Amino acid sequence: YTASVRGGATVEQAIASAMSETGRPIVITSIVLAGGFLIMLVGKFAPSSNFGLVSAVVIFAALVADLVLLPAALLLAGPRLSARAKLK
């Protein structure tokens, strides 16, 4: 995002560029991590099973935040962040 803004891109273009470069790896990593924690559900020790479930839910929530909330926050705060990025 910052590199795109420094290169002269608008906030919208910088968000689109950042999402196109990092979106797929974020999704794949989150799915793999959540899947790894969901494996813990097959265990018979309840605390471990619960930990696996809660961890997977949190990872999916973080994925949604990364893909939805972060771009929205960048769009709202974009002009201020862009001005700072261009100064550095």
Side-chain angles (χ1 to χ4, degrees):
Y1 173 84
T2 304
S4 294
V5 170
R6 285 182 183 158
T10 65
V11 173
E12 292 84 3
Q13 292 169 337
I15 292 170
S17 174
M19 291 301 290
S20 69
E21 291 175 18
T22 61
R24 188 175 181 155
I26 290 172
V27 171
I28 292 170
T29 301
S30 297
I31 290 171
V32 169
L33 277 171
F37 279 108
L38 286 174
I39 291 295
M40 296 174 80
L41 289 174
V42 299
K44 293 182 181 179
F45 188 57
S48 291
S49 295
N50 292 338
F51 177 75
L53 179 62
V54 170
S55 297
V57 169
V58 168
I59 290 168
F60 278 122
L63 173 63
V64 171
D66 286 341
L67 297 179
V68 177
L69 296 179
L70 182 59
L74 286 172
L75 192 59
L76 291 174
R80 286 181 295 209
L81 294 175
S82 295
R84 279 188 182 169
K86 289 178 182 176
L87 291 175
K88 292 183 178 182

